[in-house]
Amino acid sequence: MTKEQADNGRDDMVIDGPGQANAVPDEFNANYLRIYYGKLFPHADMFKWMSYGNDGKHPGCDKSYFGRREFSFTLENDIYIRFQSFNSVTELENSIKEKCPFKIDIGPVYSVDPAKRHAYAQSGDNVFTPVERELVFDIDISDYDDVRYCCTGADVCLECWPLMTIAIKVIDTSLRDDFGFNHILWVYSGRRGVHCWVCDGKARRLTNEQRAAIADYFYVYKGNENSHKKISLPGLVLYPFLARSYTEVLKGFFETKLLPNQNLLASEERYEKILEMIPDASVASELRRRWQENKRASMSKDDINIVRWEQLKSILQSGKQKMQGLRRCVEEIVFSYTYPRLDMEVSKHMNHLLKAPFCVHPKTGRVCVPIDPNNCDEFDPTTVPTLSQLLEELNRGGPRQDAENEWDRTSLGESVTFFRTSFLQPLLKSCKEEIENSYNAKLQQSKNALSW
Amino acid sequence: MEVVQSHRKSSSNNVIVSILPLYRSAPPLEVRLEDFEFFAIDRLRVLKGISDGLCRGKKPEEMEKLVLDLWKANMRHPQAVEEVNKDIISHFVLRLVYCRTEELRKWFLSMETTLFRHRFRWGSSEAQRALMSEFKLPYKAVSNAEFESLKDKLGQVARSMGQTLAAADAIFYKVPFEEVPDLVAGRRVFIHKGHAYVAINQVVSLVVTQFRSYLSKALILTNRKWTSTIREQEKDRLTPIVEALCTSYLGPDYSQQQEFGEISIKDIDQVAKTSFPLCMRHLFEKVKEDHHLKHGGRMQLGLFLKGVGLKLDDALAFWKAEFAPKVSAERFDKEYAYNIRHNYGREGKRTDYTPYSCQKIISVTPGIGDHHGCPYRHFSEENLRAALVRMGVSSRAVEDVMDKVHNRHYQLACTLTFEAVHGSSCDAGINHPNQYFIDSQRVLQSKNGSVA
């Protein structure tokens, strides 16, 4: 992270506090955050999104909709307050600016305003219950620690980040092509993963059972320390979604990027992990023998990993292999290294709270910016704007007459624009249509009833 | 009338398509009292036949044929209207019979659902479609054109499950994916743009689930109505019939002497060892040991002995002799002789009581000091094993018997015992202790050329 020089000699320094007026120390603290919420956080856009078209302009709007959404704030010192709700953009904005939460989570839309939930809990009829919630996914790179050797835990670099990229591609394609969803927002989680928000009306109204079904549809990697084989692909052929993911994304990525970059077959420790996945011990021994004999790179200039992978493939896929378990072994290996590893619990329940986009991650200072799934190869987590960087950019820009759209003169501008044009506007258009259609349908129904 | 019956004539080939009734509401038909009982008995034969088939672990194809045969044998009528009427009436009568306890409801639900499943399958696809719209399932049949365009993918899905796309399966239904969460979760359907393409056998499961859920609720309601009004209202007319139907045993009643004529008192000891089923062996041993049996045991054993061919005078002598150490002759004549004569139809109503069937014996719960009932059901595992060994059952066979017992297939356990003891198979299965006796005698006679 580079520190940039702020301009000198400005009287209206935005940053208060000790130290030079030039650079903005690379930190995350409440003061910075306050300025961020004051000038950069897109309150109005978040409000429009969460309203889903219920802005009161059309008679078919549900004016109570936004007010029934739960937000939760994590304040400084880890104080956590749930069941926050707001009735207008102003209320939302003021509360955020005042409380300056280190993290904002978004929960479901309930049957009644969460602030009034106690009144309804008394009736014992379970009237306080989630009624709508986006279909969400959470993918975390620390779940891939067994297949990346460059980093562990919370660290991420450009070598291993592509695992997230391919996860986005696989899931995004399936959500659109298989499930027919259209309004999908992918967001960088600020440190080591990505979140996905599926916002179609149909998705928001899914029951827990239906969410679980979708999560199970995506569930292929059964990761567990106790099993060697975490992927099992029985059947004569792969299910269409799996076949498509393999041929369009996973195979290419594994063979051309992951294999050489992570040196998956270069050393004994690493290639043993792959050999363990071959159910036929004689095949595994044959490969082991060959590779042990050939410890140094061979004459060819080709990467040793690729050479060995070709050897493995040619044995396993040769016509001679009749054994049942070997039929899909190559695919199973590729899947076990590259197939998306979702956090199932996040997706299965309507009441799961998920971090809001455009929050700042306290540990990295990075903003949770949207990712364009059509361009996710270009996304670089190491260059995502940080809090201090944004404040510096604000400083450099100088004072402005209007406080509107301050984000536009910072690196955040790109993200907000993308959010609006690629996601929010199409979504709202579709919501308006839905509201209108359902309103007209109701009118028609009551007309029919009356005409008796 | 809500009989979901339609005599639709397809214009092309003048075939009458009659639909499976859904039994949504009781028919406002007039039924003769005899028909009330007879229809129910015929249907009961079908359901019991199904129960028997399932207990024996018949494979699906065998069950399909069995159900068809049972239906043809008992429920068919040359006139479609008559057949449907009988179908509906018998179902509703049996609802009254089987709504009264949890166990009865479970059994009835299970058998009716199985019956429904098979009848749905063998219906025409037109009939199936009509039924699905009755259930308000949002299924649309896939047009030929669409099928052709999707055939590859549908085939791929089938093969991924280890199945093939037979021509017979070319009927697919299109439904929003949210309607079939289980199939989506297991990747057992092809989904595209939010639609799931469901094969006909998968549709059957869904329809049957709906049927089952509906019937389950209906039975609870029927029970309430029965207890609150019907039973009292109908106490002189329908109630006795309903109550009798439940315990009706539909095979031969062994009240008349069978082919082996008489058994004399000196033969009993011998035949008890070779040809009595465990329940009667146990009672017999106990009466010898304790010189007494309580009422339930006296009835069960006494009627059995009558069915075996013991004449009244011999019976009186037998019991008197066995009870002698504890009961004086005078007391015996006063307190026990009357009941024995009663059993033989020489007293009171002169009803010639029939020996108890397995079903009846299994259903009783012996109390303290009782030895009647079905030992496969009531003996502790240890005691049962010991008793089987004493009968001469090999340890291997004992395991098989215990397996049936654990799964609550008591009659099958007894059948296996018979087969183990006699070294020959008993295809018909044991349904009645006297049947066990007769079959045993037959086997022994064919082996030795004489009755044991």
Side-chain angles (χ1 to χ4, degrees):
Chain A
M1 273 164 268
T2 60
K3 289 194 167 64
E4 291 172 27
Q5 301 281 11
D7 282 344
N8 301 337
R10 293 260 171 202
D11 296 325
D12 46 350
M13 261 309 136
V14 180
I15 304 301
D16 49 59
Q20 305 86 326
N22 303 335
V24 176
D26 184 26
E27 279 171 34
F28 175 89
N29 61 52
N31 289 330
Y32 289 7
L33 206 52
R34 192 159 291 121
I35 299 170
Y36 177 76
Y37 285 137
K39 291 181 180 277
L40 297 175
F41 184 83
H43 304 274
D45 295 274
M46 297 297 283
F47 170 76
K48 283 193 194 138
W49 171 22
M50 290 286 123
S51 299
Y52 286 96
N54 288 298
D55 53 12
K57 296 203 181 104
H58 188 281
C61 284
D62 176 358
K63 299 217 186 80
S64 74
Y65 188 84
F66 182 72
R68 290 186 281 119
R69 168 81 67 169
E70 178 189 0
F71 294 87
S72 77
F73 292 165
T74 307
L75 309 180
E76 202 164 2
N77 303 325
D78 282 333
I79 298 170
Y80 182 62
I81 38 178
R82 269 196 76 173
F83 296 113
Q84 302 295 290
S85 60
F86 313 101
N87 288 313
S88 66
V89 60
T90 320
E91 272 183 45
L92 172 72
E93 189 170 344
N94 288 345
S95 183
I96 292 177
K97 284 177 177 169
E98 185 219 331
K99 295 193 170 75
C100 202
F102 276 29
K103 183 159 86 109
I104 303 173
D105 287 302
I106 302 176
V109 177
Y110 283 93
S111 49
V112 295
D113 184 337
K116 303 194 180 111
R117 66 193 180 282
H118 296 301
Y120 288 88
Q122 311 289 18
S123 71
D125 234 346
N126 218 4
V127 185
F128 177 67
T129 184
V131 293
E132 278 192 23
R133 204 271 190 278
E134 295 76 8
L135 173 64
V136 294
F137 298 95
D138 181 350
I139 308 175
D140 193 321
I141 207 163
S142 58
D143 286 340
Y144 292 74
D145 280 356
D146 62 313
V147 298
R148 55 178 189 147
Y149 297 98
C150 48
C151 310
T152 53
D155 297 328
V156 163
C157 70
L158 286 178
E159 293 294 314
C160 54
W161 178 260
L163 286 165
M164 296 289 98
T165 305
I166 56 169
I168 294 176
K169 287 186 186 177
V170 167
I171 303 292
D172 189 76
T173 306
S174 182
L175 288 172
R176 288 176 207 274
D177 289 357
D178 301 341
F179 290 97
F181 293 126
N182 294 308
H183 302 287
I184 301 173
L185 178 72
W186 288 92
V187 186
Y188 174 52
S189 74
R191 187 162 61 156
R192 61 186 185 195
V194 295
H195 296 161
C196 177
W197 298 77
V198 185
C199 304
D200 298 53
K202 210 176 173 193
R204 301 196 314 268
R205 292 185 284 268
L206 290 170
T207 64
N208 284 351
E209 191 200 359
Q210 291 160 342
R211 285 161 207 266
I214 297 177
D216 284 335
Y217 179 86
F218 288 131
Y219 187 53
V220 179
Y221 177 83
K222 296 170 173 35
N224 175 323
E225 290 100 51
N226 300 326
S227 53
H228 288 309
K229 212 140 168 275
K230 303 180 162 91
I231 297 262
S232 180
L233 302 171
L236 302 168
V237 302
L238 289 180
Y239 179 83
F241 154 63
L242 301 177
R244 177 187 69 217
S245 304
Y246 181 72
T247 45
E248 288 180 11
V249 181
L250 304 180
K251 175 178 200 281
F253 173 75
F254 179 81
E255 292 184 345
T256 62
K257 298 257 163 32
L258 195 67
L259 187 59
N261 292 351
Q262 298 285 343
N263 283 306
L264 295 177
L265 289 172
S267 70
E268 186 174 336
E269 186 203 336
R270 294 194 192 178
Y271 68 56
E272 274 305 320
K273 278 177 59 173
I274 292 186
L275 290 179
E276 258 169 17
M277 296 190 218
I278 301 177
D280 185 333
S282 62
V283 169
S285 326
E286 168 63 23
L287 289 165
R288 189 177 290 117
R289 187 189 59 78
R290 270 200 232 177
W291 297 344
Q292 270 165 358
E293 278 172 18
N294 203 0
K295 282 214 170 80
R296 281 163 297 136
S298 64
M299 299 301 225
S300 95
K301 288 204 222 79
D302 293 331
D303 182 299
I304 192 176
N305 298 289
I306 295 182
V307 165
R308 288 181 172 172
W309 180 247
E310 287 305 314
Q311 288 173 349
L312 184 148
K313 273 203 297 186
S314 86
I315 286 195
L316 286 176
Q317 287 174 340
S318 87
K320 289 190 241 127
Q321 300 303 349
K322 299 295 179 205
M323 182 184 167
Q324 186 73 7
L326 288 183
R327 220 197 293 258
R328 299 260 82 81
C329 194
V330 172
E331 284 93 331
E332 285 172 356
I333 294 172
V334 172
F335 268 80
S336 69
Y337 275 84
T338 59
Y339 182 84
R341 304 176 185 189
L342 306 174
D343 184 339
M344 302 287 278
E345 289 311 305
V346 167
S347 310
K348 286 186 176 184
H349 302 286
M350 280 177 103
N351 54 12
H352 192 100
L353 295 156
L354 193 63
K355 183 162 66 175
F358 296 106
C359 280
V360 182
H361 197 296
K363 300 221 171 69
T364 61
R366 299 209 188 266
V367 180
C368 301
V369 292
I371 302 177
D372 181 359
N374 295 328
N375 261 327
C376 50
D377 287 313
E378 316 284 315
F379 180 81
D380 181 351
T382 63
T383 60
V384 170
T386 64
L387 188 53
S388 46
Q389 174 192 342
L390 290 174
L391 297 186
E392 277 185 26
E393 288 170 355
L394 273 181
N395 286 354
R396 270 181 286 127
R400 291 246 302 218
Q401 267 13 41
D402 57 278
E404 289 283 311
N405 299 346
E406 296 256 26
W407 43 262
D408 217 355
R409 48 188 184 118
T410 66
S411 315
L412 199 60
E414 211 184 302
S415 294
V416 176
T417 306
F418 172 78
F419 179 80
R420 285 183 182 180
T421 52
S422 299
F423 170 70
L424 190 58
Q425 279 154 16
L427 172 64
L428 291 179
K429 178 159 179 275
S430 155
C431 287
K432 297 269 184 201
E433 276 166 18
E434 218 181 287
I435 290 176
E436 224 179 282
N437 290 341
S438 121
Y439 182 72
N440 290 338
K442 282 208 187 89
L443 276 184
Q444 195 60 38
Q445 250 181 25
S446 54
K447 274 202 202 125
N448 292 344
L450 290 171
S451 66
W452 265 92
Chain B
M1 161 155 160
E2 258 94 343
V3 173
V4 182
Q5 152 207 52
S6 119
H7 291 294
R8 276 184 285 135
K9 288 199 177 119
S10 145
S11 52
S12 49
N13 48 16
N14 250 2
V15 167
I16 295 185
V17 177
S18 72
I19 308 178
L20 239 312
L22 286 180
Y23 315 112
R24 283 275 156 93
S25 55
L29 297 171
E30 264 187 27
V31 188
R32 294 182 311 164
L33 207 56
E34 306 105 72
D35 286 345
F36 188 88
E37 192 174 358
F38 294 150
F39 285 178
I41 288 182
D42 283 344
R43 193 187 192 87
L44 204 47
R45 276 189 230 276
V46 175
L47 297 185
K48 293 210 172 169
I50 293 176
S51 179
D52 202 55
L54 290 174
C55 271
R56 282 156 189 285
K58 281 200 191 296
K59 299 201 216 44
E61 316 83 64
E62 294 173 318
M63 279 306 294
E64 185 116 16
K65 179 166 191 313
L66 174 66
V67 176
L68 187 57
D69 289 342
L70 284 166
W71 188 265
K72 278 198 203 142
N74 295 290
M75 299 293 290
R76 268 283 141 84
H77 196 289
Q79 286 170 284
V81 189
E82 295 298 323
E83 184 171 330
V84 172
N85 285 349
K86 180 172 174 179
D87 184 354
I88 296 175
I89 291 167
S90 61
H91 172 89
F92 277 95
V93 174
L94 289 183
R95 262 202 215 181
L96 289 175
V97 177
Y98 283 89
C99 70
R100 292 163 308 133
T101 73
E102 177 69 31
E103 239 183 276
L104 291 176
R105 287 196 290 271
K106 227 167 111 175
W107 183 86
F108 182 68
L109 188 62
S110 187
M111 299 311 129
E112 280 284 337
T113 304
T114 307
L115 176 61
F116 181 82
R117 169 181 288 119
H118 288 282
R119 290 178 70 198
F120 181 84
R121 284 189 70 100
W122 80 55
S124 70
S125 49
E126 237 187 79
Q128 289 171 344
R129 259 196 285 261
L131 210 59
M132 288 192 290
S133 66
E134 275 304 314
F135 276 117
K136 303 204 187 347
L137 294 175
Y139 287 64
K140 292 200 200 53
V142 166
S143 69
N144 280 336
E146 196 176 2
F147 178 74
E148 284 304 312
S149 71
L150 294 171
K151 209 162 66 166
D152 284 337
K153 289 283 189 297
L154 296 172
Q156 198 178 349
V157 172
R159 288 201 307 284
S160 78
M161 295 191 284
Q163 295 166 9
T164 50
L165 194 65
D169 294 335
I171 303 165
F172 274 80
Y173 290 88
K174 191 168 161 177
V175 66
F177 79 87
E178 318 88 87
E179 303 287 328
V180 289
D182 287 339
L183 296 177
V184 169
R187 291 192 293 266
R188 296 201 294 277
V189 279
F190 176 64
I191 54 174
H192 182 64
K193 293 292 184 206
H195 297 289
Y197 292 84
V198 185
I200 187 63
N201 57 310
Q202 294 167 323
V203 171
V204 173
S205 299
L206 292 151
V207 172
V208 168
T209 308
Q210 298 271 12
F211 175 83
R212 194 194 169 91
S213 141
Y214 174 78
L215 184 56
S216 173
K217 294 187 193 117
L219 281 173
I220 309 266
L221 290 173
T222 307
N223 184 36
R224 273 191 214 144
K225 260 169 92 178
W226 170 260
T227 6
S228 62
T229 44
I230 307 178
R231 184 174 55 193
E232 186 52 38
Q233 255 172 28
E234 289 291 336
K235 70 179 192 297
D236 297 319
R237 198 176 61 141
L238 298 182
T239 303
I241 299 177
V242 167
E243 287 177 348
L245 274 170
C246 177
T247 53
S248 70
Y249 157 76
L250 299 168
D253 61 11
Y254 303 103
S255 59
Q256 306 306 317
Q257 249 99 69
Q258 300 291 306
E259 50 227 75
F260 294 107
E262 305 165 7
I263 289 281
S264 78
I265 197 170
K266 61 180 168 41
D267 301 327
I268 297 186
D269 282 327
Q270 181 59 21
V271 296
K273 280 202 199 68
T274 59
S275 298
F276 277 17
L278 184 57
C279 52
M280 301 306 174
R281 258 177 86 108
H282 179 63
L283 283 166
F284 190 76
E285 281 171 16
K286 280 297 167 191
V287 79
K288 292 243 169 227
E289 211 179 287
D290 298 342
H291 304 293
H292 190 264
L293 265 189
K294 291 177 90 167
H295 179 258
R298 292 199 306 273
M299 291 298 283
Q300 186 172 312
L301 182 60
L303 289 171
F304 170 76
L305 290 173
K306 183 176 84 151
V308 155
L310 193 65
K311 300 212 99 48
L312 174 61
D313 294 328
D314 280 348
L316 286 164
F318 165 75
W319 290 102
K320 199 170 191 172
E322 295 303 332
F323 279 25
K326 285 200 175 144
V327 179
S328 70
E330 295 81 23
R331 211 181 115 209
F332 182 86
D333 288 335
K334 226 165 55 164
E335 293 177 27
Y336 296 97
Y338 178 88
N339 276 330
I340 297 171
R341 281 202 300 279
H342 203 278
N343 283 350
Y344 278 75
R346 308 295 169 80
E347 300 283 356
K349 282 193 296 192
R350 314 281 159 151
T351 312
D352 204 6
Y353 287 93
T354 57
Y356 297 161
S357 66
C358 286
Q359 192 189 2
K360 180 149 184 174
I361 291 173
I362 289 171
S363 69
V364 306
T365 308
I368 313 269
D370 280 329
H371 296 290
H372 60 288
C374 177
Y376 295 98
R377 183 173 171 206
H378 294 292
F379 274 24
S380 70
E381 176 150 347
E382 261 171 60
N383 287 347
L384 184 54
R385 281 175 185 270
L388 291 171
V389 167
R390 275 202 310 279
M391 274 179 88
V393 179
S394 72
S395 51
R396 173 84 190 283
V398 168
E399 291 313 315
D400 291 337
V401 172
M402 292 316 296
D403 181 62
K404 293 291 178 210
V405 168
H406 292 141
N407 287 315
R408 302 208 281 229
H409 298 316
Y410 309 120
Q411 285 168 247
L412 287 179
C414 191
T415 309
L416 286 180
T417 306
F418 179 95
E419 291 178 351
V421 166
H422 295 82
S424 69
S425 68
C426 171
D427 287 329
I430 299 299
N431 292 311
H432 197 294
N434 288 90
Q435 175 207 353
Y436 185 109
F437 180 81
I438 288 175
D439 286 350
S440 169
Q441 290 286 291
R442 245 188 230 132
V443 168
L444 291 170
Q445 187 184 42
S446 68
K447 277 189 188 159
N448 305 338
S450 62
V451 174

Coordinates of all heavy atoms in Angstrom, one line a residue, chain B residues 393-422:
Chain B
V393 N -34.3 -74.4 16.2 CA -33.9 -73.5 15.1 C -32.4 -73.2 15.1 O -31.9 -73.0 16.2 CB -34.7 -72.1 15.2 CG1 -34.3 -71.1 14.1 CG2 -36.2 -72.4 15.2
S394 N -31.8 -73.3 14.0 CA -30.3 -73.1 13.9 C -29.9 -71.7 14.2 O -30.7 -70.8 14.0 CB -29.8 -73.5 12.5 OG -30.2 -72.5 11.6
S395 N -28.7 -71.5 14.7 CA -28.3 -70.1 15.1 C -28.4 -69.2 14.0 O -28.7 -68.0 14.1 CB -27.0 -70.1 15.8 OG -26.1 -70.8 15.0
R396 N -28.1 -69.6 12.8 CA -28.1 -68.8 11.6 C -29.5 -68.3 11.3 O -29.8 -67.1 11.1 CB -27.6 -69.6 10.4 CG -27.7 -68.9 9.1 CD -26.6 -68.0 8.8 NE -26.9 -67.2 7.6 CZ -26.8 -67.6 6.4 NH1 -26.4 -68.9 6.2 NH2 -27.1 -66.9 5.4
A397 N -30.5 -69.3 11.4 CA -31.9 -68.9 11.2 C -32.4 -68.0 12.3 O -33.3 -67.2 12.1 CB -32.7 -70.2 11.1
V398 N -31.9 -68.2 13.5 CA -32.3 -67.4 14.6 C -32.0 -65.9 14.3 O -32.8 -65.0 14.5 CB -31.6 -67.8 16.0 CG1 -31.9 -66.7 17.0 CG2 -32.1 -69.1 16.5
E399 N -30.9 -65.7 13.7 CA -30.5 -64.3 13.3 C -31.5 -63.7 12.3 O -32.0 -62.6 12.5 CB -29.1 -64.2 12.8 CG -28.0 -64.5 13.8 CD -28.2 -63.7 15.1 OE1 -28.5 -62.5 15.0 OE2 -28.0 -64.4 16.1
D400 N -31.9 -64.5 11.4 CA -32.8 -64.1 10.4 C -34.2 -63.8 11.0 O -34.8 -62.8 10.7 CB -33.1 -65.1 9.3 CG -31.8 -65.3 8.4 OD1 -31.0 -64.4 8.3 OD2 -31.7 -66.4 7.8
V401 N -34.6 -64.6 11.9 CA -35.9 -64.4 12.6 C -35.8 -63.1 13.4 O -36.7 -62.3 13.4 CB -36.2 -65.6 13.5 CG1 -37.4 -65.3 14.4 CG2 -36.4 -66.9 12.7
M402 N -34.7 -63.0 14.1 CA -34.6 -61.8 15.0 C -34.6 -60.5 14.1 O -35.1 -59.5 14.5 CB -33.3 -61.8 15.8 CG -33.2 -62.9 16.9 SD -34.7 -63.0 17.9 CE -34.8 -61.4 18.7
D403 N -34.0 -60.6 13.0 CA -34.0 -59.5 12.1 C -35.5 -59.1 11.7 O -35.8 -57.9 11.7 CB -33.3 -59.8 10.8 CG -33.2 -58.7 9.8 OD1 -32.7 -57.6 10.2 OD2 -33.8 -58.8 8.7
K404 N -36.3 -60.1 11.4 CA -37.7 -59.8 11.1 C -38.4 -59.2 12.3 O -39.2 -58.3 12.3 CB -38.5 -61.0 10.7 CG -38.0 -61.6 9.4 CD -38.4 -60.8 8.2 CE -37.9 -61.3 6.9 NZ -37.6 -60.3 5.9
V405 N -38.0 -59.7 13.5 CA -38.7 -59.2 14.7 C -38.3 -57.7 15.0 O -39.2 -56.9 15.3 CB -38.2 -60.1 15.9 CG1 -38.6 -59.4 17.3 CG2 -38.8 -61.4 15.9
H406 N -37.0 -57.4 14.7 CA -36.6 -56.0 14.9 C -37.4 -55.1 14.0 O -37.6 -53.9 14.3 CB -35.1 -55.9 14.7 CG -34.3 -56.6 15.8 ND1 -33.1 -57.2 15.5 CD2 -34.5 -56.7 17.1 CE1 -32.7 -57.8 16.6 NE2 -33.5 -57.4 17.6
N407 N -37.7 -55.6 12.8 CA -38.5 -54.8 11.9 C -40.0 -54.9 12.1 O -40.8 -54.5 11.2 CB -38.1 -55.1 10.5 CG -36.7 -54.6 10.1 OD1 -36.4 -53.5 10.4 ND2 -35.9 -55.5 9.5
R408 N -40.4 -55.6 13.2 CA -41.8 -55.8 13.5 C -42.6 -56.6 12.5 O -43.8 -56.4 12.4 CB -42.4 -54.4 13.8 CG -41.7 -53.7 14.9 CD -42.6 -52.7 15.5 NE -42.8 -51.6 14.7 CZ -42.7 -50.3 15.1 NH1 -42.4 -50.1 16.3 NH2 -42.8 -49.3 14.3
H409 N -41.9 -57.5 11.8 CA -42.6 -58.4 10.9 C -42.8 -59.7 11.7 O -42.1 -60.7 11.4 CB -41.9 -58.6 9.6 CG -41.7 -57.3 8.8 ND1 -42.7 -56.4 8.6 CD2 -40.6 -56.8 8.2 CE1 -42.3 -55.4 7.9 NE2 -41.0 -55.6 7.6
Y410 N -43.8 -59.7 12.6 CA -43.9 -60.9 13.5 C -44.3 -62.2 12.7 O -43.8 -63.3 13.0 CB -44.8 -60.6 14.6 CG -44.5 -59.3 15.3 CD1 -45.4 -58.2 15.4 CD2 -43.2 -59.1 15.9 CE1 -45.0 -57.0 16.0 CE2 -42.9 -57.9 16.5 CZ -43.8 -56.9 16.5 OH -43.5 -55.7 17.1
Q411 N -45.2 -62.0 11.8 CA -45.7 -63.2 11.1 C -44.6 -63.7 10.2 O -44.4 -64.9 10.0 CB -46.9 -62.8 10.3 CG -48.1 -62.7 11.2 CD -49.3 -62.1 10.4 OE1 -49.7 -61.0 10.7 NE2 -49.8 -62.8 9.5
L412 N -43.8 -62.8 9.6 CA -42.6 -63.3 8.8 C -41.6 -64.1 9.7 O -41.0 -65.1 9.3 CB -42.0 -62.2 8.1 CG -42.7 -61.6 6.9 CD1 -42.0 -60.4 6.3 CD2 -43.0 -62.7 5.9
A413 N -41.5 -63.6 10.9 CA -40.6 -64.2 11.9 C -41.1 -65.6 12.1 O -40.3 -66.6 12.1 CB -40.5 -63.5 13.2
C414 N -42.4 -65.8 12.3 CA -42.9 -67.1 12.6 C -42.8 -68.0 11.3 O -42.5 -69.2 11.5 CB -44.4 -66.9 12.9 SG -45.2 -68.4 13.6
T415 N -43.0 -67.4 10.2 CA -42.8 -68.2 8.9 C -41.4 -68.7 8.8 O -41.2 -69.9 8.5 CB -43.1 -67.3 7.7 OG1 -44.4 -66.6 7.9 CG2 -43.1 -68.1 6.4
L416 N -40.4 -67.8 9.1 CA -39.0 -68.3 9.0 C -38.8 -69.4 10.0 O -38.0 -70.3 9.8 CB -38.1 -67.1 9.3 CG -38.0 -66.1 8.2 CD1 -37.0 -65.0 8.5 CD2 -37.5 -66.8 6.9
T417 N -39.4 -69.3 11.2 CA -39.2 -70.3 12.2 C -39.8 -71.6 11.7 O -39.1 -72.7 11.8 CB -40.0 -69.9 13.5 OG1 -39.6 -68.6 13.9 CG2 -39.7 -70.9 14.6
F418 N -41.0 -71.5 11.1 CA -41.6 -72.7 10.5 C -40.6 -73.4 9.5 O -40.3 -74.6 9.5 CB -42.9 -72.4 9.8 CG -43.6 -73.5 9.2 CD1 -44.6 -74.2 9.8 CD2 -43.2 -74.0 7.9 CE1 -45.2 -75.3 9.2 CE2 -43.8 -75.0 7.3 CZ -44.8 -75.7 8.0
E419 N -40.1 -72.5 8.6 CA -39.2 -73.0 7.6 C -37.9 -73.6 8.2 O -37.5 -74.7 7.7 CB -38.8 -71.9 6.6 CG -40.0 -71.5 5.8 CD -39.8 -70.3 4.8 OE1 -38.7 -69.7 4.9 OE2 -40.6 -70.0 4.0
A420 N -37.4 -73.0 9.2 CA -36.2 -73.5 9.8 C -36.5 -74.9 10.5 O -35.7 -75.8 10.4 CB -35.6 -72.5 10.8
V421 N -37.6 -74.9 11.2 CA -37.9 -76.2 12.0 C -38.2 -77.3 11.0 O -37.8 -78.5 11.3 CB -39.1 -75.9 12.9 CG1 -39.6 -77.2 13.5 CG2 -38.6 -75.0 14.1
H422 N -38.9 -77.0 10.0 CA -39.4 -78.1 9.1 C -38.5 -78.3 7.9 O -38.7 -79.3 7.2 CB -40.8 -77.8 8.6 CG -41.8 -77.8 9.7 ND1 -42.0 -76.7 10.5 CD2 -42.7 -78.7 10.1 CE1 -43.0 -77.0 11.4 NE2 -43.4 -78.2 11.2

